[in-house]
Amino acid sequence: MAGLEKISTALMLELGLKGIFGFDFIRMPDNQCVLIDINPRFPATLELYPHRQALFDGHFVACLGSKVRLPANPGTLIGGHIILYASADWRVPQRFSWPSAVCDIPRGGSAIPSGAPLCSVKVYARDEPAVIGGLQDAIGELRAQVVSHAGAGVIPAELNIHKIGE
């Protein structure tokens, strides 16, 4: 992780990035990390932080060139987020009942081609195992509902949920 911090800091300084921004890395089978994307704006995962308004306010102030001192994390919850991609073509039923943890939901009647984003699943809990379990439960519930409407094969059969460093 120290290597990623060093690379990220060098990129931030070289590119003149300010505020909250994101770097996307892929961890390769040999545990090397490869930079695949630079997001010069705050990432969508900002919404997973309970104190996101303070973070957004700090981002705005930092982009104007001022120094920011952010408060300590006042929240006791952590969040997890997964984007699900369709593994087969699917037309969303008009009156489909989405689980409560699902968001970024397509409208009823929408055609979702294989490989396209289907929806997001977000879960908040007090610790990481509960977040991972909540994500797995929500995905299982969604899979069961999709199977009852469309048959098997729309939601990926297996999702690997793990934290960085495992």
Side-chain angles (χ1 to χ4, degrees):
M1 292 303 271
L4 290 179
E5 283 185 38
K6 186 176 179 181
I7 292 168
S8 298
T9 299
L11 286 169
M12 175 193 71
L13 295 171
E14 181 68 26
L15 299 172
L17 297 173
K18 296 180 182 178
I20 299 173
F21 49 85
F23 296 120
D24 294 338
F25 292 90
I26 292 179
R27 187 174 66 182
M28 305 305 285
D30 63 358
N31 283 331
Q32 294 295 316
C33 291
V34 176
L35 177 67
I36 60 165
D37 194 18
I38 299 173
N39 301 298
R41 49 150 171 69
F42 60 87
T45 54
L46 181 67
E47 66 190 46
L48 296 176
Y49 293 87
H51 58 295
R52 62 188 162 269
Q53 185 61 52
L55 291 173
F56 180 79
D57 293 345
H59 169 75
F60 185 76
V61 170
C63 288
L64 293 175
S66 298
K67 293 210 180 237
V68 178
R69 180 179 282 285
L70 294 173
N73 181 355
T76 57
L77 296 177
I78 60 172
H81 174 250
I82 290 180
I83 299 172
L84 296 179
Y85 294 83
S87 59
D89 294 344
W90 188 50
R91 183 165 302 278
V92 179
Q94 287 293 340
R95 299 195 197 293
F96 188 73
S97 177
W98 297 91
S100 62
V102 176
C103 58
D104 304 325
I105 299 170
R107 285 187 285 174
S110 298
I112 309 296
S114 179
L118 175 63
C119 62
S120 297
V121 179
K122 294 179 186 162
V123 172
Y124 298 89
R126 299 216 179 275
D127 58 42
E128 188 175 313
V131 169
I132 292 171
L135 288 169
Q136 291 170 328
D137 290 347
I139 292 165
E141 180 183 350
L142 179 60
R143 182 177 289 120
Q145 289 175 348
V146 168
V147 166
S148 73
H149 282 87
V154 175
I155 304 293
E158 181 180 332
L159 292 165
N160 295 315
I161 302 171
H162 64 277
K163 65 179 183 177
I164 293 175
E166 285 187 335

